[in-house]
Amino acid sequence: MAEQIDRPVYPTALGASSRERITLLGRDLADDVMGSVGFGELAFWLATQRRPTTGETRVFEAVLAALADHGFTPTAIATRLTLLSAPDSIQGALAAGLLGGGSRFLGVTEDCGRFLHDVLTAQDGVLPTDDAGWDALALATVAEQRAQRRFVPGLGHHVHKDGDPRTPRLYAIAAEEDLVGPHLELFAAIGRVHPQALGKTLPLNGAGVCGAALADLGLPLELLRGFALLARTAGLIGQLAEELRHPVANEIFLSVDLNNRSVPPDPYHPPSLATESAGTHG
Amino acid sequence: MAEQIDRPVYPTALGASSRERITLLGRDLADDVMGSVGFGELAFWLATQRRPTTGETRVFEAVLAALADHGFTPTAIATRLTLLSAPDSIQGALAAGLLGGGSRFLGVTEDCGRFLHDVLTAQDGVLPTDDAGWDALALATVAEQRAQRRFVPGLGHHVHKDGDPRTPRLYAIAAEEDLVGPHLELFAAIGRVHPQALGKTLPLNGAGVCGAALADLGLPLELLRGFALLARTAGLIGQLAEELRHPVANEIFLSVDLNNRSVPPDPYHPPSLATESAGTHG
Amino acid sequence: MAEQIDRPVYPTALGASSRERITLLGRDLADDVMGSVGFGELAFWLATQRRPTTGETRVFEAVLAALADHGFTPTAIATRLTLLSAPDSIQGALAAGLLGGGSRFLGVTEDCGRFLHDVLTAQDGVLPTDDAGWDALALATVAEQRAQRRFVPGLGHHVHKDGDPRTPRLYAIAAEEDLVGPHLELFAAIGRVHPQALGKTLPLNGAGVCGAALADLGLPLELLRGFALLARTAGLIGQLAEELRHPVANEIFLSVDLNNRSVPPDPYHPPSLATESAGTHG
Amino acid sequence: MAEQIDRPVYPTALGASSRERITLLGRDLADDVMGSVGFGELAFWLATQRRPTTGETRVFEAVLAALADHGFTPTAIATRLTLLSAPDSIQGALAAGLLGGGSRFLGVTEDCGRFLHDVLTAQDGVLPTDDAGWDALALATVAEQRAQRRFVPGLGHHVHKDGDPRTPRLYAIAAEEDLVGPHLELFAAIGRVHPQALGKTLPLNGAGVCGAALADLGLPLELLRGFALLARTAGLIGQLAEELRHPVANEIFLSVDLNNRSVPPDPYHPPSLATESAGTHG
């Protein structure tokens, strides 16, 4: 006779279905969600299990638009090359592109949101109430980073050296929706005061301001990168659609392969741990 | 002296940027897209390089809502287990879930859209103009599939045996927006007449009707699976968000690992190609 | 009180462990596997649950060597670009490269093995016993493919037009180990007779002969692509190692991004289904 | 007239091919590699661009064997579920499993190798020359970790509480091949002395000793996780092979899905940043 155990239980507030009905987040999917909830709104709702306001949705979708596509990024190229190689698997091409969403190219959004949040949390509940207060906090923050020889996430851009056009636009939208919270306040103050601490003027970049805006929307910091990836999924579908109609991946591949130069192996030896006099060998 | 070659050129209508400006699809990203284009609308636009109408956007977003999350699917479980194993890499957990978006679980949308399209294309430009005409085409179509011992994609559901609630809702939305085209017409007719050909009544499932609706929106058939994956990305972010706060992955893992039963190896031998009398061996 | 259910049971012959002992494939991992089973041998064993002979291992490892790395393939470039973008996630860079292992670039091995197998299976157990017999079967096979306007998998190579050097070498190794079975026999015969049917001479390519050899080793056809992926994993680690020391990914990225040309959107419209005279619209 | 640019050059010592010849690592692939280089040996060679000795290969392959498969790990389950969902894409199922190779389940190998290396590097070239010396260094190391409230990577195992059977076996193999270097020495000493610092006896786990052995082989620390992933690729192919013949994934999926419990949404609210008295709100 088979051994008996307690039935396991896996709770979820996400999708569930019975013979007659499908629910999502406690709502009837067909009647209450389909046709009345936009896709950005739904993504926000799924991530937080609370329905965003119209203003929150607008700021959120502005962030997604800002991050959706930046042309021929490494991730876009990886997606196109993967489609070239495995045209039968759209999901693989998409996944390959998302896997580039790590610390360097998509990470600024998350890094900036977290950085601002850490500074704010360290204020022990007493936040500035005017620009002068924010400026003072920002100046101390930038100076501390400089002293520690660390960059301020979200500061600087290799192309938009005079200002990232997304930044003022997102501030304007957040202001229109009355959703400028402490992360955006602090980031704006960093934009104002960092020349005093760094001796040069850098732009607040779009990825950084998106991180600040997402944090002010009350989204979980652990998932800020996830929202950048969601935005990028739409962008990668655009890349795939364009590649299917106006392909460039094979030409990119050939531009590398035909220009390879075969060189002799360069044997790797790890750095030596022991001085010779120590008489040991690794 | 280095050899000279023609500068390569990689055209794209997607993201581009100069020192002052970022464009996307020929528009100014900051001024014309951020704050005024919703995320579903943007995804449609990126995939087709044409801006959808309000009605098209509504149908498209209804499809995305229908496909976003179905609870503890294999893909949702894979995403949660990957987060458990590699919590440092949100992109990896997301990609792992999307990789399940293949022929079986997310494929119905694509298969149904393509199937309907193939039937319609074979009509050589003369499509039915009334229900009777659609019914006749649908009956011939279902009978042909049955004769070939093939399933009709989108017909049947293992849970919603009396009808998938998403199906009438999506038809209603498409009708409200005047977007019931030939794919939805044919699929509806299949729903009406299949009992005559199959001898039993099956529901038109939600994944299938989504495929029909996406095809009627004029979206590229090669990318229908891509839209299901886009919808699922939002759902998987919901799964990750819930897993971070109310984890179940470790319990799922243990429910398998603790109930493993070690069995002896079962050596694999391929089916024999040669009869013994042939005197050969492989 | 919690409901009781039967304890589930998940059988496996792979890894299992108790407090004192780890077993793999019914053997003691520490005592019977570590130090005495090579990695290629182990991979074969894991896939078939039977230990290969020394000769089988040699042929198998020759196949893996043949498929491990082909320089700057699309998959190698995708892996390097993903490392550039997400240097914190080696697993993501590796996975991105493997995702290119689909129908086009790594698929020949699988396609060729399956194709040969299908032909052999259709002989109903009576296989040729001499070269003349194989040639006759090969000629009929190639002629049939031509009649159906299909390619013969494994035939032809865009670089090695006069012969792929891996092909004779793998035949020699298989012959030394007495492991030339019906798949390799048929493939060799195709190499001999195809000019009669096609009117031109094409090389038997390395990926194809690897598929034939793997099939003759009795490995599951469903997994032939898996072995190509295993080989490629070693190659991709080589690519990552070289990229870490002598990076080219950023230069590749810039060679694309700096040569992008912004073009106007090209709105997608699906092919029309209805003739104008039909008076319908989609 | 098209603009002229310098031809780009992408150097590589890995695969290259001309019309007649394929080279890999400066060798003729067909003549010098196929049939004479084992797969583990080749993987080592590709990663370091130097050919390992017979002893190095044996230790390396013992490590790969130790890490290849641990039964129903989260990564194995994710691979099986992905195959269930997308059976058409072996590469996707494999990639999904590898994506679990992150910090938690496969990370110990890398973490332990790096940790030992950092301690050794900090000795400024003067390493212990006898057990007493190693014990002193190990004791200081463990005490320092404890003082910083950090774990010692590689110490402890949730199942093999009295000792991981892989550990003594790998030490024996390394000793047989005269390849016990400073990383293994230090790790062994940690095994001897940690009870003095921690007040309890923990086993040196297999993943940790593998990291120490790989570091002593002179392999790049940045890629230690890569070797664990290579080993796991073979294991995952074993999982896929078993799943194809003796499937459990659908049963695992149902054991979760049928035991889901729909619960009300739990709206996420980020921790408050401001005290009420501060009079601000985000």
Side-chain angles (χ1 to χ4, degrees), chain A residues 7 10 12 48-49 125 259-261 263 266 268 273 275, chain D residues 7 10 12 48-49 125 259-261 263 266 268 273 275:
Chain A
R7 176 183 288 280
Y10 304 107
T12 182
T48 61
Q49 304 200 355
N259 293 313
N260 88 78
R261 175 183 292 164
V263 296
D266 174 20
Y268 175 79
L273 290 170
T275 55
Chain D
R7 177 184 286 283
Y10 303 108
T12 181
T48 60
Q49 303 200 356
N259 293 314
N260 89 77
R261 175 184 292 166
V263 296
D266 174 20
Y268 175 78
L273 290 170
T275 55

PDB file of all heavy atoms in Angstrom, chain A residues 7 10 12 48-49 125 259-261 263 266 268 273 275, chain D residues 7 10 12 48-49 125 259-261 263 266 268 273 275:
ATOM      1  N   ARG A   7      -1.408  16.330   1.787  1.00  0.00           N
ATOM      2  CA  ARG A   7      -1.456  16.965   0.468  1.00  0.00           C
ATOM      3  C   ARG A   7      -0.706  18.296   0.532  1.00  0.00           C
ATOM      4  O   ARG A   7      -0.943  19.104   1.417  1.00  0.00           O
ATOM      5  CB  ARG A   7      -2.915  17.214   0.082  1.00  0.00           C
ATOM      6  CG  ARG A   7      -3.083  17.960  -1.239  1.00  0.00           C
ATOM      7  CD  ARG A   7      -4.546  18.245  -1.542  1.00  0.00           C
ATOM      8  NE  ARG A   7      -5.257  17.044  -1.918  1.00  0.00           N
ATOM      9  CZ  ARG A   7      -5.214  16.481  -3.136  1.00  0.00           C
ATOM     10  NH1 ARG A   7      -4.439  17.024  -4.064  1.00  0.00           N
ATOM     11  NH2 ARG A   7      -5.900  15.406  -3.393  1.00  0.00           N
ATOM     12  N   TYR A  10       0.131  24.838  -2.594  1.00  0.00           N
ATOM     13  CA  TYR A  10       0.939  25.906  -3.191  1.00  0.00           C
ATOM     14  C   TYR A  10       0.042  27.109  -3.432  1.00  0.00           C
ATOM     15  O   TYR A  10      -0.692  27.165  -4.417  1.00  0.00           O
ATOM     16  CB  TYR A  10       1.574  25.439  -4.492  1.00  0.00           C
ATOM     17  CG  TYR A  10       2.403  24.185  -4.339  1.00  0.00           C
ATOM     18  CD1 TYR A  10       1.979  22.960  -4.826  1.00  0.00           C
ATOM     19  CD2 TYR A  10       3.631  24.244  -3.669  1.00  0.00           C
ATOM     20  CE1 TYR A  10       2.748  21.813  -4.672  1.00  0.00           C
ATOM     21  CE2 TYR A  10       4.410  23.097  -3.508  1.00  0.00           C
ATOM     22  CZ  TYR A  10       3.954  21.885  -4.010  1.00  0.00           C
ATOM     23  OH  TYR A  10       4.717  20.759  -3.843  1.00  0.00           O
ATOM     24  N   THR A  12      -1.283  30.805  -4.452  1.00  0.00           N
ATOM     25  CA  THR A  12      -0.956  31.839  -5.436  1.00  0.00           C
ATOM     26  C   THR A  12      -2.160  32.740  -5.636  1.00  0.00           C
ATOM     27  O   THR A  12      -3.306  32.283  -5.608  1.00  0.00           O
ATOM     28  CB  THR A  12      -0.546  31.242  -6.792  1.00  0.00           C
ATOM     29  OG1 THR A  12      -0.208  32.324  -7.674  1.00  0.00           O
ATOM     30  CG2 THR A  12      -1.651  30.419  -7.440  1.00  0.00           C
ATOM     31  N   THR A  48       2.867  43.719  -8.449  1.00  0.00           N
ATOM     32  CA  THR A  48       2.624  44.260  -7.108  1.00  0.00           C
ATOM     33  C   THR A  48       1.363  43.716  -6.467  1.00  0.00           C
ATOM     34  O   THR A  48       1.113  43.968  -5.295  1.00  0.00           O
ATOM     35  CB  THR A  48       2.460  45.797  -7.159  1.00  0.00           C
ATOM     36  OG1 THR A  48       1.323  46.091  -8.000  1.00  0.00           O
ATOM     37  CG2 THR A  48       3.702  46.467  -7.720  1.00  0.00           C
ATOM     38  N   GLN A  49       0.537  43.034  -7.254  1.00  0.00           N
ATOM     39  CA  GLN A  49      -0.764  42.558  -6.779  1.00  0.00           C
ATOM     40  C   GLN A  49      -1.654  43.707  -6.313  1.00  0.00           C
ATOM     41  O   GLN A  49      -2.558  43.510  -5.500  1.00  0.00           O
ATOM     42  CB  GLN A  49      -0.600  41.457  -5.717  1.00  0.00           C
ATOM     43  CG  GLN A  49       0.250  40.291  -6.246  1.00  0.00           C
ATOM     44  CD  GLN A  49       0.067  38.984  -5.482  1.00  0.00           C
ATOM     45  OE1 GLN A  49      -0.631  38.931  -4.474  1.00  0.00           O
ATOM     46  NE2 GLN A  49       0.682  37.932  -5.996  1.00  0.00           N
ATOM     47  N   GLY A 125      14.279  57.878   8.210  1.00  0.00           N
ATOM     48  CA  GLY A 125      12.901  58.374   8.229  1.00  0.00           C
ATOM     49  C   GLY A 125      12.762  59.875   8.164  1.00  0.00           C
ATOM     50  O   GLY A 125      11.656  60.393   8.061  1.00  0.00           O
ATOM     51  N   ASN A 259      36.612  38.256 -41.265  1.00  0.00           N
ATOM     52  CA  ASN A 259      37.730  39.083 -40.810  1.00  0.00           C
ATOM     53  C   ASN A 259      38.437  38.486 -39.605  1.00  0.00           C
ATOM     54  O   ASN A 259      39.177  39.177 -38.914  1.00  0.00           O
ATOM     55  CB  ASN A 259      37.233  40.498 -40.495  1.00  0.00           C
ATOM     56  CG  ASN A 259      36.784  41.217 -41.746  1.00  0.00           C
ATOM     57  OD1 ASN A 259      37.492  41.207 -42.754  1.00  0.00           O
ATOM     58  ND2 ASN A 259      35.599  41.811 -41.710  1.00  0.00           N
ATOM     59  N   ASN A 260      38.196  37.216 -39.363  1.00  0.00           N
ATOM     60  CA  ASN A 260      38.931  36.566 -38.275  1.00  0.00           C
ATOM     61  C   ASN A 260      40.388  36.428 -38.706  1.00  0.00           C
ATOM     62  O   ASN A 260      40.710  36.280 -39.879  1.00  0.00           O
ATOM     63  CB  ASN A 260      38.321  35.210 -37.963  1.00  0.00           C
ATOM     64  CG  ASN A 260      38.905  34.100 -38.800  1.00  0.00           C
ATOM     65  OD1 ASN A 260      40.007  33.620 -38.543  1.00  0.00           O
ATOM     66  ND2 ASN A 260      38.176  33.706 -39.839  1.00  0.00           N
ATOM     67  N   ARG A 261      41.262  36.518 -37.756  1.00  0.00           N
ATOM     68  CA  ARG A 261      42.676  36.258 -38.027  1.00  0.00           C
ATOM     69  C   ARG A 261      43.147  35.168 -37.063  1.00  0.00           C
ATOM     70  O   ARG A 261      43.076  35.336 -35.848  1.00  0.00           O
ATOM     71  CB  ARG A 261      43.522  37.510 -37.819  1.00  0.00           C
ATOM     72  CG  ARG A 261      45.034  37.207 -37.972  1.00  0.00           C
ATOM     73  CD  ARG A 261      45.881  38.418 -37.698  1.00  0.00           C
ATOM     74  NE  ARG A 261      45.692  39.435 -38.727  1.00  0.00           N
ATOM     75  CZ  ARG A 261      46.081  40.707 -38.577  1.00  0.00           C
ATOM     76  NH1 ARG A 261      46.647  41.100 -37.453  1.00  0.00           N
ATOM     77  NH2 ARG A 261      45.881  41.568 -39.552  1.00  0.00           N
ATOM     78  N   VAL A 263      45.394  33.239 -34.867  1.00  0.00           N
ATOM     79  CA  VAL A 263      46.636  33.541 -34.141  1.00  0.00           C
ATOM     80  C   VAL A 263      47.055  32.328 -33.325  1.00  0.00           C
ATOM     81  O   VAL A 263      46.233  31.453 -33.054  1.00  0.00           O
ATOM     82  CB  VAL A 263      46.457  34.768 -33.204  1.00  0.00           C
ATOM     83  CG1 VAL A 263      46.170  36.019 -34.013  1.00  0.00           C
ATOM     84  CG2 VAL A 263      45.370  34.509 -32.179  1.00  0.00           C
ATOM     85  N   ASP A 266      47.571  31.251 -26.893  1.00  0.00           N
ATOM     86  CA  ASP A 266      48.251  32.027 -25.861  1.00  0.00           C
ATOM     87  C   ASP A 266      47.986  31.318 -24.539  1.00  0.00           C
ATOM     88  O   ASP A 266      47.018  31.606 -23.850  1.00  0.00           O
ATOM     89  CB  ASP A 266      47.660  33.449 -25.841  1.00  0.00           C
ATOM     90  CG  ASP A 266      48.209  34.282 -24.707  1.00  0.00           C
ATOM     91  OD1 ASP A 266      49.276  33.929 -24.180  1.00  0.00           O
ATOM     92  OD2 ASP A 266      47.547  35.275 -24.339  1.00  0.00           O
ATOM     93  N   TYR A 268      47.299  29.990 -21.057  1.00  0.00           N
ATOM     94  CA  TYR A 268      46.971  30.709 -19.827  1.00  0.00           C
ATOM     95  C   TYR A 268      47.738  30.122 -18.651  1.00  0.00           C
ATOM     96  O   TYR A 268      47.756  28.908 -18.443  1.00  0.00           O
ATOM     97  CB  TYR A 268      45.473  30.573 -19.533  1.00  0.00           C
ATOM     98  CG  TYR A 268      45.059  31.186 -18.226  1.00  0.00           C
ATOM     99  CD1 TYR A 268      44.890  32.557 -18.114  1.00  0.00           C
ATOM    100  CD2 TYR A 268      44.846  30.396 -17.104  1.00  0.00           C
ATOM    101  CE1 TYR A 268      44.510  33.129 -16.910  1.00  0.00           C
ATOM    102  CE2 TYR A 268      44.462  30.957 -15.891  1.00  0.00           C
ATOM    103  CZ  TYR A 268      44.300  32.332 -15.796  1.00  0.00           C
ATOM    104  OH  TYR A 268      43.927  32.894 -14.608  1.00  0.00           O
ATOM    105  N   LEU A 273      51.397  32.367  -7.069  1.00  0.00           N
ATOM    106  CA  LEU A 273      51.039  32.654  -5.678  1.00  0.00           C
ATOM    107  C   LEU A 273      52.264  32.725  -4.780  1.00  0.00           C
ATOM    108  O   LEU A 273      52.248  33.388  -3.751  1.00  0.00           O
ATOM    109  CB  LEU A 273      50.113  31.553  -5.143  1.00  0.00           C
ATOM    110  CG  LEU A 273      48.712  31.553  -5.747  1.00  0.00           C
ATOM    111  CD1 LEU A 273      47.977  30.292  -5.335  1.00  0.00           C
ATOM    112  CD2 LEU A 273      47.954  32.788  -5.311  1.00  0.00           C
ATOM    113  N   THR A 275      56.430  33.234  -3.991  1.00  0.00           N
ATOM    114  CA  THR A 275      57.715  33.774  -4.421  1.00  0.00           C
ATOM    115  C   THR A 275      58.676  32.614  -4.571  1.00  0.00           C
ATOM    116  O   THR A 275      58.528  31.560  -3.951  1.00  0.00           O
ATOM    117  CB  THR A 275      58.290  34.741  -3.369  1.00  0.00           C
ATOM    118  OG1 THR A 275      58.337  34.040  -2.130  1.00  0.00           O
ATOM    119  CG2 THR A 275      57.391  35.950  -3.233  1.00  0.00           C
TER     120      THR A 275
ATOM    121  N   ARG D   7      39.862  47.502 -42.817  1.00  0.00           N
ATOM    122  CA  ARG D   7      39.257  46.201 -42.578  1.00  0.00           C
ATOM    123  C   ARG D   7      39.428  45.836 -41.107  1.00  0.00           C
ATOM    124  O   ARG D   7      40.545  45.924 -40.578  1.00  0.00           O
ATOM    125  CB  ARG D   7      39.951  45.141 -43.446  1.00  0.00           C
ATOM    126  CG  ARG D   7      39.439  43.736 -43.222  1.00  0.00           C
ATOM    127  CD  ARG D   7      40.218  42.726 -44.036  1.00  0.00           C
ATOM    128  NE  ARG D   7      39.893  42.781 -45.440  1.00  0.00           N
ATOM    129  CZ  ARG D   7      38.785  42.262 -45.980  1.00  0.00           C
ATOM    130  NH1 ARG D   7      37.895  41.666 -45.215  1.00  0.00           N
ATOM    131  NH2 ARG D   7      38.571  42.348 -47.269  1.00  0.00           N
ATOM    132  N   TYR D  10      39.617  40.365 -36.271  1.00  0.00           N
ATOM    133  CA  TYR D  10      39.206  39.710 -35.036  1.00  0.00           C
ATOM    134  C   TYR D  10      40.093  38.489 -34.821  1.00  0.00           C
ATOM    135  O   TYR D  10      39.859  37.439 -35.417  1.00  0.00           O
ATOM    136  CB  TYR D  10      37.735  39.306 -35.115  1.00  0.00           C
ATOM    137  CG  TYR D  10      36.822  40.470 -35.406  1.00  0.00           C
ATOM    138  CD1 TYR D  10      36.211  40.621 -36.647  1.00  0.00           C
ATOM    139  CD2 TYR D  10      36.580  41.438 -34.435  1.00  0.00           C
ATOM    140  CE1 TYR D  10      35.380  41.702 -36.917  1.00  0.00           C
ATOM    141  CE2 TYR D  10      35.750  42.522 -34.704  1.00  0.00           C
ATOM    142  CZ  TYR D  10      35.152  42.646 -35.938  1.00  0.00           C
ATOM    143  OH  TYR D  10      34.336  43.709 -36.202  1.00  0.00           O
ATOM    144  N   THR D  12      41.744  35.152 -33.243  1.00  0.00           N
ATOM    145  CA  THR D  12      41.329  34.024 -32.403  1.00  0.00           C
ATOM    146  C   THR D  12      42.287  32.866 -32.614  1.00  0.00           C
ATOM    147  O   THR D  12      42.777  32.652 -33.726  1.00  0.00           O
ATOM    148  CB  THR D  12      39.898  33.570 -32.727  1.00  0.00           C
ATOM    149  OG1 THR D  12      39.565  32.469 -31.848  1.00  0.00           O
ATOM    150  CG2 THR D  12      39.739  33.079 -34.160  1.00  0.00           C
ATOM    151  N   THR D  48      42.147  26.960 -21.698  1.00  0.00           N
ATOM    152  CA  THR D  48      43.447  27.520 -21.291  1.00  0.00           C
ATOM    153  C   THR D  48      44.390  27.730 -22.471  1.00  0.00           C
ATOM    154  O   THR D  48      45.450  28.313 -22.303  1.00  0.00           O
ATOM    155  CB  THR D  48      44.169  26.571 -20.316  1.00  0.00           C
ATOM    156  OG1 THR D  48      44.380  25.320 -21.001  1.00  0.00           O
ATOM    157  CG2 THR D  48      43.357  26.343 -19.058  1.00  0.00           C
ATOM    158  N   GLN D  49      44.047  27.201 -23.623  1.00  0.00           N
ATOM    159  CA  GLN D  49      44.925  27.245 -24.798  1.00  0.00           C
ATOM    160  C   GLN D  49      46.259  26.557 -24.524  1.00  0.00           C
ATOM    161  O   GLN D  49      47.271  26.850 -25.176  1.00  0.00           O
ATOM    162  CB  GLN D  49      45.089  28.681 -25.313  1.00  0.00           C
ATOM    163  CG  GLN D  49      43.722  29.301 -25.654  1.00  0.00           C
ATOM    164  CD  GLN D  49      43.787  30.489 -26.598  1.00  0.00           C
ATOM    165  OE1 GLN D  49      44.845  30.948 -26.978  1.00  0.00           O
ATOM    166  NE2 GLN D  49      42.617  30.985 -27.001  1.00  0.00           N
ATOM    167  N   GLY D 125      53.057  35.944  -1.495  1.00  0.00           N
ATOM    168  CA  GLY D 125      54.085  35.083  -2.076  1.00  0.00           C
ATOM    169  C   GLY D 125      54.772  34.148  -1.106  1.00  0.00           C
ATOM    170  O   GLY D 125      55.575  33.310  -1.505  1.00  0.00           O
ATOM    171  N   ASN D 259      -2.442  21.128  -6.849  1.00  0.00           N
ATOM    172  CA  ASN D 259      -2.428  21.483  -5.438  1.00  0.00           C
ATOM    173  C   ASN D 259      -2.268  22.976  -5.211  1.00  0.00           C
ATOM    174  O   ASN D 259      -1.925  23.408  -4.120  1.00  0.00           O
ATOM    175  CB  ASN D 259      -1.310  20.714  -4.726  1.00  0.00           C
ATOM    176  CG  ASN D 259      -1.604  19.226  -4.690  1.00  0.00           C
ATOM    177  OD1 ASN D 259      -2.725  18.826  -4.360  1.00  0.00           O
ATOM    178  ND2 ASN D 259      -0.630  18.408  -5.052  1.00  0.00           N
ATOM    179  N   ASN D 260      -2.503  23.750  -6.257  1.00  0.00           N
ATOM    180  CA  ASN D 260      -2.480  25.203  -6.065  1.00  0.00           C
ATOM    181  C   ASN D 260      -3.685  25.608  -5.225  1.00  0.00           C
ATOM    182  O   ASN D 260      -4.744  24.973  -5.273  1.00  0.00           O
ATOM    183  CB  ASN D 260      -2.486  25.915  -7.415  1.00  0.00           C
ATOM    184  CG  ASN D 260      -3.873  26.182  -7.928  1.00  0.00           C
ATOM    185  OD1 ASN D 260      -4.547  27.108  -7.476  1.00  0.00           O
ATOM    186  ND2 ASN D 260      -4.335  25.322  -8.827  1.00  0.00           N
ATOM    187  N   ARG D 261      -3.496  26.607  -4.434  1.00  0.00           N
ATOM    188  CA  ARG D 261      -4.628  27.175  -3.683  1.00  0.00           C
ATOM    189  C   ARG D 261      -4.713  28.656  -4.015  1.00  0.00           C
ATOM    190  O   ARG D 261      -3.768  29.409  -3.766  1.00  0.00           O
ATOM    191  CB  ARG D 261      -4.447  26.995  -2.175  1.00  0.00           C
ATOM    192  CG  ARG D 261      -5.565  27.703  -1.377  1.00  0.00           C
ATOM    193  CD  ARG D 261      -5.352  27.617   0.111  1.00  0.00           C
ATOM    194  NE  ARG D 261      -5.500  26.235   0.565  1.00  0.00           N
ATOM    195  CZ  ARG D 261      -5.117  25.808   1.768  1.00  0.00           C
ATOM    196  NH1 ARG D 261      -4.541  26.649   2.609  1.00  0.00           N
ATOM    197  NH2 ARG D 261      -5.287  24.543   2.112  1.00  0.00           N
ATOM    198  N   VAL D 263      -5.374  32.260  -3.523  1.00  0.00           N
ATOM    199  CA  VAL D 263      -5.467  33.147  -2.364  1.00  0.00           C
ATOM    200  C   VAL D 263      -5.670  34.580  -2.849  1.00  0.00           C
ATOM    201  O   VAL D 263      -5.373  34.901  -3.995  1.00  0.00           O
ATOM    202  CB  VAL D 263      -4.193  33.067  -1.485  1.00  0.00           C
ATOM    203  CG1 VAL D 263      -4.038  31.674  -0.898  1.00  0.00           C
ATOM    204  CG2 VAL D 263      -2.960  33.481  -2.271  1.00  0.00           C
ATOM    205  N   ASP D 266      -2.019  39.993  -2.376  1.00  0.00           N
ATOM    206  CA  ASP D 266      -1.365  40.592  -1.215  1.00  0.00           C
ATOM    207  C   ASP D 266      -0.615  41.815  -1.724  1.00  0.00           C
ATOM    208  O   ASP D 266       0.552  41.738  -2.082  1.00  0.00           O
ATOM    209  CB  ASP D 266      -0.392  39.567  -0.609  1.00  0.00           C
ATOM    210  CG  ASP D 266       0.426  40.162   0.512  1.00  0.00           C
ATOM    211  OD1 ASP D 266       0.008  41.195   1.072  1.00  0.00           O
ATOM    212  OD2 ASP D 266       1.493  39.601   0.811  1.00  0.00           O
ATOM    213  N   TYR D 268       1.595  44.744  -2.670  1.00  0.00           N
ATOM    214  CA  TYR D 268       2.947  45.081  -2.225  1.00  0.00           C
ATOM    215  C   TYR D 268       3.051  46.565  -1.942  1.00  0.00           C
ATOM    216  O   TYR D 268       2.669  47.399  -2.764  1.00  0.00           O
ATOM    217  CB  TYR D 268       3.960  44.711  -3.317  1.00  0.00           C
ATOM    218  CG  TYR D 268       5.371  45.131  -2.993  1.00  0.00           C
ATOM    219  CD1 TYR D 268       6.148  44.386  -2.107  1.00  0.00           C
ATOM    220  CD2 TYR D 268       5.931  46.277  -3.555  1.00  0.00           C
ATOM    221  CE1 TYR D 268       7.443  44.772  -1.799  1.00  0.00           C
ATOM    222  CE2 TYR D 268       7.231  46.664  -3.255  1.00  0.00           C
ATOM    223  CZ  TYR D 268       7.982  45.912  -2.373  1.00  0.00           C
ATOM    224  OH  TYR D 268       9.261  46.291  -2.065  1.00  0.00           O
ATOM    225  N   LEU D 273       9.857  55.165   3.736  1.00  0.00           N
ATOM    226  CA  LEU D 273      11.145  55.838   3.889  1.00  0.00           C
ATOM    227  C   LEU D 273      11.083  56.961   4.909  1.00  0.00           C
ATOM    228  O   LEU D 273      12.080  57.334   5.502  1.00  0.00           O
ATOM    229  CB  LEU D 273      11.582  56.421   2.541  1.00  0.00           C
ATOM    230  CG  LEU D 273      11.975  55.396   1.489  1.00  0.00           C
ATOM    231  CD1 LEU D 273      12.147  56.072   0.143  1.00  0.00           C
ATOM    232  CD2 LEU D 273      13.254  54.690   1.907  1.00  0.00           C
ATOM    233  N   THR D 275       9.426  59.001   8.236  1.00  0.00           N
ATOM    234  CA  THR D 275       8.611  58.936   9.449  1.00  0.00           C
ATOM    235  C   THR D 275       7.446  59.895   9.276  1.00  0.00           C
ATOM    236  O   THR D 275       7.514  60.868   8.534  1.00  0.00           O
ATOM    237  CB  THR D 275       9.421  59.380  10.679  1.00  0.00           C
ATOM    238  OG1 THR D 275       9.939  60.680  10.409  1.00  0.00           O
ATOM    239  CG2 THR D 275      10.552  58.424  10.952  1.00  0.00           C
TER     240      THR D 275
END
